[in-house]
Amino acid sequence: MIINWVLGLTRRLKSEIKDGTWDKMKHIFTLFTVFFFFIDISTKRFFEHSLSINETSLIIPGWLHWKLIHNTGMSFGIGAGHTIFIIILQVLVIGLLFYFKYILNP
């Protein structure tokens, strides 16, 4: 079922790229990305200045609360405390993406 959904989505994207709809979708996607990036950064900065470490702020009782913590690793704290390793890994991944995009497909 999921495979059929992905294949259908792929076919739809290919047809939208051909008829020019994809260009409009890229602009909408970019706007949503910028909007959510702004919301993400704004909430982080607000609570970073409002709370101290491990302090909790109740937003919606019984449902949502904020607790200020600092993750020094990647997602879910993977590699915490190994900043140099994380930087090297990120540079390698960016290098590979550049290689595949611009060197293999000029």
Side-chain angles (χ1 to χ4, degrees):
M1 181 167 171
I2 293 174
I3 294 172
N4 289 334
W5 179 81
V6 170
L7 290 175
L9 181 63
T10 305
R11 278 188 229 107
R12 181 173 163 220
L13 286 175
K14 285 180 182 178
S15 69
E16 288 174 352
I17 289 170
K18 287 180 185 175
D19 70 7
T21 309
W22 180 246
D23 291 332
K24 295 174 191 171
M25 290 176 61
K26 282 195 301 189
H27 295 299
I28 293 170
F29 177 76
T30 301
L31 287 173
F32 274 109
T33 302
V34 169
F35 174 74
F36 285 112
F37 179 77
F38 176 75
I39 296 296
D40 179 56
I41 296 298
S42 299
T43 55
K44 286 178 182 176
R45 295 296 173 249
F46 174 77
F47 286 106
E48 193 172 66
H49 294 295
S50 301
L51 300 174
S52 59
I53 292 290
N54 290 324
E55 183 181 353
T56 302
S57 175
L58 186 63
I59 308 299
I60 301 173
W63 189 70
L64 179 65
H65 67 276
W66 241 268
K67 182 176 185 177
L68 182 63
I69 61 169
H70 289 284
N71 178 10
T72 59
M74 297 181 290
S75 297
F76 309 109
I78 295 171
H82 302 291
T83 308
I84 298 299
F85 170 74
I86 294 171
I87 291 170
I88 292 170
L89 183 63
Q90 290 173 346
V91 168
L92 286 173
V93 168
I94 291 170
L96 283 172
L97 290 173
F98 180 81
Y99 176 75
F100 287 124
K101 175 71 176 166
Y102 296 105
I103 305 299
L104 291 181
N105 298 316

mmCIF file of all heavy atoms in Angstrom, residues 62-99:
data_model
loop_
_atom_site.group_PDB
_atom_site.id
_atom_site.type_symbol
_atom_site.label_atom_id
_atom_site.label_comp_id
_atom_site.label_asym_id
_atom_site.label_seq_id
_atom_site.Cartn_x
_atom_site.Cartn_y
_atom_site.Cartn_z
ATOM 1 N N GLY A 62 -2.017 19.784 31.195
ATOM 2 C CA GLY A 62 -2.292 18.380 30.918
ATOM 3 C C GLY A 62 -1.936 17.929 29.515
ATOM 4 O O GLY A 62 -2.106 16.769 29.173
ATOM 5 N N TRP A 63 -1.425 18.861 28.674
ATOM 6 C CA TRP A 63 -1.173 18.469 27.301
ATOM 7 C C TRP A 63 0.190 18.924 26.777
ATOM 8 O O TRP A 63 0.886 18.173 26.115
ATOM 9 C CB TRP A 63 -2.284 19.016 26.405
ATOM 10 C CG TRP A 63 -2.225 18.489 25.012
ATOM 11 C CD1 TRP A 63 -2.498 17.218 24.605
ATOM 12 C CD2 TRP A 63 -1.839 19.203 23.841
ATOM 13 N NE1 TRP A 63 -2.309 17.096 23.253
ATOM 14 C CE2 TRP A 63 -1.916 18.324 22.753
ATOM 15 C CE3 TRP A 63 -1.447 20.507 23.612
ATOM 16 C CZ2 TRP A 63 -1.609 18.692 21.467
ATOM 17 C CZ3 TRP A 63 -1.141 20.883 22.317
ATOM 18 C CH2 TRP A 63 -1.236 19.972 21.262
ATOM 19 N N LEU A 64 0.570 20.171 27.052
ATOM 20 C CA LEU A 64 1.797 20.700 26.476
ATOM 21 C C LEU A 64 2.567 21.519 27.494
ATOM 22 O O LEU A 64 2.018 22.429 28.117
ATOM 23 C CB LEU A 64 1.471 21.585 25.254
ATOM 24 C CG LEU A 64 2.650 22.252 24.543
ATOM 25 C CD1 LEU A 64 3.562 21.206 23.902
ATOM 26 C CD2 LEU A 64 2.144 23.228 23.489
ATOM 27 N N HIS A 65 3.835 21.171 27.662
ATOM 28 C CA HIS A 65 4.725 21.967 28.499
ATOM 29 C C HIS A 65 6.091 22.034 27.819
ATOM 30 O O HIS A 65 6.441 21.188 27.012
ATOM 31 C CB HIS A 65 4.850 21.381 29.912
ATOM 32 C CG HIS A 65 5.550 20.062 29.955
ATOM 33 N ND1 HIS A 65 4.909 18.868 29.720
ATOM 34 C CD2 HIS A 65 6.845 19.757 30.191
ATOM 35 C CE1 HIS A 65 5.777 17.879 29.819
ATOM 36 N NE2 HIS A 65 6.963 18.386 30.095
ATOM 37 N N TRP A 66 6.824 23.099 28.106
ATOM 38 C CA TRP A 66 8.156 23.297 27.563
ATOM 39 C C TRP A 66 9.163 23.089 28.672
ATOM 40 O O TRP A 66 8.978 23.575 29.780
ATOM 41 C CB TRP A 66 8.303 24.739 27.051
ATOM 42 C CG TRP A 66 8.599 24.837 25.597
ATOM 43 C CD1 TRP A 66 9.822 24.886 25.034
ATOM 44 C CD2 TRP A 66 7.671 24.927 24.527
ATOM 45 N NE1 TRP A 66 9.716 25.012 23.677
ATOM 46 C CE2 TRP A 66 8.402 25.034 23.339
ATOM 47 C CE3 TRP A 66 6.285 24.915 24.447
ATOM 48 C CZ2 TRP A 66 7.804 25.146 22.101
ATOM 49 C CZ3 TRP A 66 5.689 25.026 23.223
ATOM 50 C CH2 TRP A 66 6.447 25.136 22.069
ATOM 51 N N LYS A 67 10.242 22.380 28.373
ATOM 52 C CA LYS A 67 11.337 22.203 29.322
ATOM 53 C C LYS A 67 12.623 22.526 28.575
ATOM 54 O O LYS A 67 12.890 21.953 27.516
ATOM 55 C CB LYS A 67 11.378 20.777 29.862
ATOM 56 C CG LYS A 67 12.461 20.553 30.890
ATOM 57 C CD LYS A 67 12.390 19.149 31.469
ATOM 58 C CE LYS A 67 13.401 18.982 32.572
ATOM 59 N NZ LYS A 67 13.304 17.661 33.181
ATOM 60 N N LEU A 68 13.396 23.453 29.109
ATOM 61 C CA LEU A 68 14.621 23.868 28.432
ATOM 62 C C LEU A 68 15.746 22.882 28.721
ATOM 63 O O LEU A 68 16.139 22.675 29.870
ATOM 64 C CB LEU A 68 15.034 25.273 28.886
ATOM 65 C CG LEU A 68 16.277 25.828 28.205
ATOM 66 C CD1 LEU A 68 16.042 25.990 26.697
ATOM 67 C CD2 LEU A 68 16.667 27.158 28.820
ATOM 68 N N ILE A 69 16.215 22.249 27.654
ATOM 69 C CA ILE A 69 17.385 21.376 27.722
ATOM 70 C C ILE A 69 18.276 21.721 26.540
ATOM 71 O O ILE A 69 17.835 22.361 25.580
ATOM 72 C CB ILE A 69 17.022 19.876 27.687
ATOM 73 C CG1 ILE A 69 16.297 19.530 26.390
ATOM 74 C CG2 ILE A 69 16.184 19.498 28.887
ATOM 75 C CD1 ILE A 69 16.150 18.046 26.170
ATOM 76 N N HIS A 70 19.516 21.328 26.578
ATOM 77 C CA HIS A 70 20.430 21.554 25.467
ATOM 78 C C HIS A 70 20.954 20.217 24.991
ATOM 79 O O HIS A 70 21.555 19.470 25.751
ATOM 80 C CB HIS A 70 21.587 22.465 25.871
ATOM 81 C CG HIS A 70 21.163 23.882 26.069
ATOM 82 N ND1 HIS A 70 20.891 24.728 25.024
ATOM 83 C CD2 HIS A 70 20.951 24.600 27.187
ATOM 84 C CE1 HIS A 70 20.537 25.900 25.482
ATOM 85 N NE2 HIS A 70 20.557 25.849 26.807
ATOM 86 N N ASN A 71 20.707 19.915 23.726
ATOM 87 C CA ASN A 71 21.189 18.692 23.104
ATOM 88 C C ASN A 71 22.494 19.015 22.404
ATOM 89 O O ASN A 71 22.533 19.796 21.456
ATOM 90 C CB ASN A 71 20.146 18.182 22.101
ATOM 91 C CG ASN A 71 20.597 16.939 21.379
ATOM 92 O OD1 ASN A 71 21.596 16.329 21.734
ATOM 93 N ND2 ASN A 71 19.865 16.550 20.354
ATOM 94 N N THR A 72 23.591 18.426 22.850
ATOM 95 C CA THR A 72 24.885 18.689 22.234
ATOM 96 C C THR A 72 25.218 17.690 21.134
ATOM 97 O O THR A 72 26.298 17.744 20.551
ATOM 98 C CB THR A 72 26.007 18.653 23.284
ATOM 99 O OG1 THR A 72 26.014 17.357 23.895
ATOM 100 C CG2 THR A 72 25.802 19.726 24.330
ATOM 101 N N GLY A 73 24.286 16.799 20.849
ATOM 102 C CA GLY A 73 24.508 15.810 19.802
ATOM 103 C C GLY A 73 23.628 16.068 18.606
ATOM 104 O O GLY A 73 23.116 17.165 18.397
ATOM 105 N N MET A 74 23.448 15.021 17.817
ATOM 106 C CA MET A 74 22.567 15.103 16.657
ATOM 107 C C MET A 74 21.158 14.726 17.118
ATOM 108 O O MET A 74 20.851 14.854 18.294
ATOM 109 C CB MET A 74 23.081 14.154 15.563
ATOM 110 C CG MET A 74 24.453 14.528 15.039
ATOM 111 S SD MET A 74 25.081 13.468 13.732
ATOM 112 C CE MET A 74 25.425 11.952 14.592
ATOM 113 N N SER A 75 20.342 14.229 16.226
ATOM 114 C CA SER A 75 18.982 13.828 16.583
ATOM 115 C C SER A 75 18.994 12.820 17.722
ATOM 116 O O SER A 75 19.789 11.883 17.723
ATOM 117 C CB SER A 75 18.282 13.194 15.376
ATOM 118 O OG SER A 75 18.156 14.130 14.349
ATOM 119 N N PHE A 76 18.132 13.033 18.677
ATOM 120 C CA PHE A 76 17.972 12.155 19.837
ATOM 121 C C PHE A 76 19.248 12.029 20.661
ATOM 122 O O PHE A 76 19.465 11.047 21.355
ATOM 123 C CB PHE A 76 17.468 10.767 19.420
ATOM 124 C CG PHE A 76 16.251 10.809 18.552
ATOM 125 C CD1 PHE A 76 16.313 10.474 17.220
ATOM 126 C CD2 PHE A 76 15.035 11.214 19.081
ATOM 127 C CE1 PHE A 76 15.195 10.533 16.413
ATOM 128 C CE2 PHE A 76 13.912 11.282 18.283
ATOM 129 C CZ PHE A 76 13.985 10.934 16.954
ATOM 130 N N GLY A 77 20.137 13.015 20.567
ATOM 131 C CA GLY A 77 21.356 13.024 21.376
ATOM 132 C C GLY A 77 22.453 12.107 20.887
ATOM 133 O O GLY A 77 23.446 11.900 21.589
ATOM 134 N N ILE A 78 22.306 11.566 19.683
ATOM 135 C CA ILE A 78 23.339 10.671 19.142
ATOM 136 C C ILE A 78 24.628 11.462 18.966
ATOM 137 O O ILE A 78 24.640 12.533 18.377
ATOM 138 C CB ILE A 78 22.895 10.063 17.804
ATOM 139 C CG1 ILE A 78 21.674 9.165 18.021
ATOM 140 C CG2 ILE A 78 24.029 9.281 17.153
ATOM 141 C CD1 ILE A 78 21.031 8.684 16.743
ATOM 142 N N GLY A 79 25.711 10.963 19.472
ATOM 143 C CA GLY A 79 27.012 11.604 19.332
ATOM 144 C C GLY A 79 27.219 12.763 20.293
ATOM 145 O O GLY A 79 28.092 13.594 20.081
ATOM 146 N N ALA A 80 26.443 12.813 21.364
ATOM 147 C CA ALA A 80 26.564 13.913 22.322
ATOM 148 C C ALA A 80 27.978 13.994 22.873
ATOM 149 O O ALA A 80 28.569 12.998 23.268
ATOM 150 C CB ALA A 80 25.566 13.730 23.458
ATOM 151 N N GLY A 81 28.523 15.197 22.875
ATOM 152 C CA GLY A 81 29.862 15.407 23.388
ATOM 153 C C GLY A 81 30.964 15.164 22.380
ATOM 154 O O GLY A 81 32.136 15.337 22.685
ATOM 155 N N HIS A 82 30.621 14.746 21.184
ATOM 156 C CA HIS A 82 31.612 14.470 20.139
ATOM 157 C C HIS A 82 31.456 15.479 19.007
ATOM 158 O O HIS A 82 31.211 15.132 17.852
ATOM 159 C CB HIS A 82 31.461 13.041 19.611
ATOM 160 C CG HIS A 82 31.594 12.003 20.673
ATOM 161 N ND1 HIS A 82 32.793 11.741 21.310
ATOM 162 C CD2 HIS A 82 30.692 11.183 21.245
ATOM 163 C CE1 HIS A 82 32.612 10.789 22.210
ATOM 164 N NE2 HIS A 82 31.339 10.435 22.194
ATOM 165 N N THR A 83 31.627 16.745 19.335
ATOM 166 C CA THR A 83 31.373 17.828 18.391
ATOM 167 C C THR A 83 32.240 17.734 17.146
ATOM 168 O O THR A 83 31.756 17.943 16.036
ATOM 169 C CB THR A 83 31.590 19.193 19.081
ATOM 170 O OG1 THR A 83 30.822 19.214 20.290
ATOM 171 C CG2 THR A 83 31.165 20.333 18.196
ATOM 172 N N ILE A 84 33.510 17.417 17.305
ATOM 173 C CA ILE A 84 34.413 17.330 16.152
ATOM 174 C C ILE A 84 33.943 16.244 15.194
ATOM 175 O O ILE A 84 33.924 16.447 13.973
ATOM 176 C CB ILE A 84 35.865 17.056 16.615
ATOM 177 C CG1 ILE A 84 36.374 18.202 17.496
ATOM 178 C CG2 ILE A 84 36.785 16.836 15.418
ATOM 179 C CD1 ILE A 84 36.410 19.547 16.801
ATOM 180 N N PHE A 85 33.546 15.092 15.723
ATOM 181 C CA PHE A 85 33.035 14.001 14.885
ATOM 182 C C PHE A 85 31.797 14.449 14.122
ATOM 183 O O PHE A 85 31.661 14.167 12.927
ATOM 184 C CB PHE A 85 32.719 12.775 15.741
ATOM 185 C CG PHE A 85 31.977 11.706 14.999
ATOM 186 C CD1 PHE A 85 32.632 10.919 14.060
ATOM 187 C CD2 PHE A 85 30.622 11.494 15.214
ATOM 188 C CE1 PHE A 85 31.949 9.931 13.366
ATOM 189 C CE2 PHE A 85 29.928 10.518 14.523
ATOM 190 C CZ PHE A 85 30.604 9.734 13.595
ATOM 191 N N ILE A 86 30.892 15.147 14.783
ATOM 192 C CA ILE A 86 29.660 15.609 14.140
ATOM 193 C C ILE A 86 29.981 16.597 13.019
ATOM 194 O O ILE A 86 29.409 16.519 11.924
ATOM 195 C CB ILE A 86 28.704 16.232 15.180
ATOM 196 C CG1 ILE A 86 28.216 15.145 16.149
ATOM 197 C CG2 ILE A 86 27.530 16.925 14.514
ATOM 198 C CD1 ILE A 86 27.452 15.675 17.336
ATOM 199 N N ILE A 87 30.909 17.513 13.256
ATOM 200 C CA ILE A 87 31.289 18.488 12.233
ATOM 201 C C ILE A 87 31.900 17.783 11.029
ATOM 202 O O ILE A 87 31.563 18.076 9.871
ATOM 203 C CB ILE A 87 32.256 19.539 12.812
ATOM 204 C CG1 ILE A 87 31.512 20.416 13.815
ATOM 205 C CG2 ILE A 87 32.878 20.378 11.701
ATOM 206 C CD1 ILE A 87 32.417 21.335 14.619
ATOM 207 N N ILE A 88 32.797 16.828 11.270
ATOM 208 C CA ILE A 88 33.432 16.084 10.179
ATOM 209 C C ILE A 88 32.378 15.311 9.388
ATOM 210 O O ILE A 88 32.391 15.304 8.152
ATOM 211 C CB ILE A 88 34.537 15.150 10.719
ATOM 212 C CG1 ILE A 88 35.698 15.983 11.245
ATOM 213 C CG2 ILE A 88 35.006 14.164 9.652
ATOM 214 C CD1 ILE A 88 36.732 15.186 12.021
ATOM 215 N N LEU A 89 31.444 14.672 10.077
ATOM 216 C CA LEU A 89 30.384 13.921 9.411
ATOM 217 C C LEU A 89 29.523 14.843 8.545
ATOM 218 O O LEU A 89 29.194 14.505 7.401
ATOM 219 C CB LEU A 89 29.511 13.208 10.454
ATOM 220 C CG LEU A 89 28.393 12.327 9.921
ATOM 221 C CD1 LEU A 89 28.973 11.174 9.106
ATOM 222 C CD2 LEU A 89 27.556 11.798 11.068
ATOM 223 N N GLN A 90 29.180 16.019 9.056
ATOM 224 C CA GLN A 90 28.378 16.966 8.277
ATOM 225 C C GLN A 90 29.123 17.444 7.041
ATOM 226 O O GLN A 90 28.533 17.556 5.958
ATOM 227 C CB GLN A 90 27.973 18.152 9.144
ATOM 228 C CG GLN A 90 26.963 17.793 10.206
ATOM 229 C CD GLN A 90 26.698 18.948 11.168
ATOM 230 O OE1 GLN A 90 27.432 19.924 11.213
ATOM 231 N NE2 GLN A 90 25.628 18.823 11.938
ATOM 232 N N VAL A 91 30.404 17.736 7.168
ATOM 233 C CA VAL A 91 31.198 18.171 6.020
ATOM 234 C C VAL A 91 31.263 17.054 4.974
ATOM 235 O O VAL A 91 31.133 17.311 3.772
ATOM 236 C CB VAL A 91 32.607 18.613 6.465
ATOM 237 C CG1 VAL A 91 33.544 18.794 5.279
ATOM 238 C CG2 VAL A 91 32.528 19.889 7.286
ATOM 239 N N LEU A 92 31.437 15.810 5.414
ATOM 240 C CA LEU A 92 31.467 14.684 4.477
ATOM 241 C C LEU A 92 30.142 14.520 3.745
ATOM 242 O O LEU A 92 30.111 14.305 2.527
ATOM 243 C CB LEU A 92 31.822 13.385 5.215
ATOM 244 C CG LEU A 92 33.272 13.232 5.639
ATOM 245 C CD1 LEU A 92 33.449 11.984 6.505
ATOM 246 C CD2 LEU A 92 34.184 13.174 4.429
ATOM 247 N N VAL A 93 29.045 14.620 4.461
ATOM 248 C CA VAL A 93 27.723 14.475 3.839
ATOM 249 C C VAL A 93 27.484 15.599 2.834
ATOM 250 O O VAL A 93 27.023 15.356 1.711
ATOM 251 C CB VAL A 93 26.602 14.440 4.905
ATOM 252 C CG1 VAL A 93 25.232 14.577 4.273
ATOM 253 C CG2 VAL A 93 26.688 13.144 5.706
ATOM 254 N N ILE A 94 27.815 16.829 3.196
ATOM 255 C CA ILE A 94 27.658 17.946 2.264
ATOM 256 C C ILE A 94 28.553 17.755 1.043
ATOM 257 O O ILE A 94 28.140 17.998 -0.093
ATOM 258 C CB ILE A 94 27.944 19.286 2.970
ATOM 259 C CG1 ILE A 94 26.843 19.582 3.978
ATOM 260 C CG2 ILE A 94 28.073 20.425 1.959
ATOM 261 C CD1 ILE A 94 27.138 20.743 4.909
ATOM 262 N N GLY A 95 29.764 17.269 1.256
ATOM 263 C CA GLY A 95 30.669 16.979 0.142
ATOM 264 C C GLY A 95 30.109 15.913 -0.784
ATOM 265 O O GLY A 95 30.169 16.043 -2.009
ATOM 266 N N LEU A 96 29.544 14.843 -0.218
ATOM 267 C CA LEU A 96 28.939 13.791 -1.040
ATOM 268 C C LEU A 96 27.745 14.322 -1.824
ATOM 269 O O LEU A 96 27.574 13.995 -3.005
ATOM 270 C CB LEU A 96 28.518 12.612 -0.170
ATOM 271 C CG LEU A 96 29.635 11.683 0.283
ATOM 272 C CD1 LEU A 96 29.110 10.667 1.293
ATOM 273 C CD2 LEU A 96 30.240 10.968 -0.912
ATOM 274 N N LEU A 97 26.899 15.120 -1.182
ATOM 275 C CA LEU A 97 25.757 15.701 -1.887
ATOM 276 C C LEU A 97 26.228 16.571 -3.050
ATOM 277 O O LEU A 97 25.678 16.504 -4.150
ATOM 278 C CB LEU A 97 24.893 16.516 -0.926
ATOM 279 C CG LEU A 97 24.100 15.722 0.110
ATOM 280 C CD1 LEU A 97 23.432 16.662 1.099
ATOM 281 C CD2 LEU A 97 23.076 14.831 -0.569
ATOM 282 N N PHE A 98 27.249 17.387 -2.817
ATOM 283 C CA PHE A 98 27.806 18.225 -3.867
ATOM 284 C C PHE A 98 28.366 17.352 -5.000
ATOM 285 O O PHE A 98 28.137 17.622 -6.175
ATOM 286 C CB PHE A 98 28.909 19.121 -3.295
ATOM 287 C CG PHE A 98 29.545 20.013 -4.303
ATOM 288 C CD1 PHE A 98 28.945 21.200 -4.676
ATOM 289 C CD2 PHE A 98 30.751 19.648 -4.891
ATOM 290 C CE1 PHE A 98 29.538 22.025 -5.623
ATOM 291 C CE2 PHE A 98 31.349 20.465 -5.843
ATOM 292 C CZ PHE A 98 30.741 21.658 -6.203
ATOM 293 N N TYR A 99 29.081 16.304 -4.636
ATOM 294 C CA TYR A 99 29.669 15.398 -5.619
ATOM 295 C C TYR A 99 28.594 14.764 -6.496
ATOM 296 O O TYR A 99 28.688 14.770 -7.722
ATOM 297 C CB TYR A 99 30.478 14.316 -4.903
ATOM 298 C CG TYR A 99 31.049 13.265 -5.821
ATOM 299 C CD1 TYR A 99 32.144 13.547 -6.627
ATOM 300 C CD2 TYR A 99 30.480 12.000 -5.881
ATOM 301 C CE1 TYR A 99 32.675 12.582 -7.480
ATOM 302 C CE2 TYR A 99 30.996 11.029 -6.721
ATOM 303 C CZ TYR A 99 32.090 11.317 -7.522
ATOM 304 O OH TYR A 99 32.593 10.370 -8.362
#
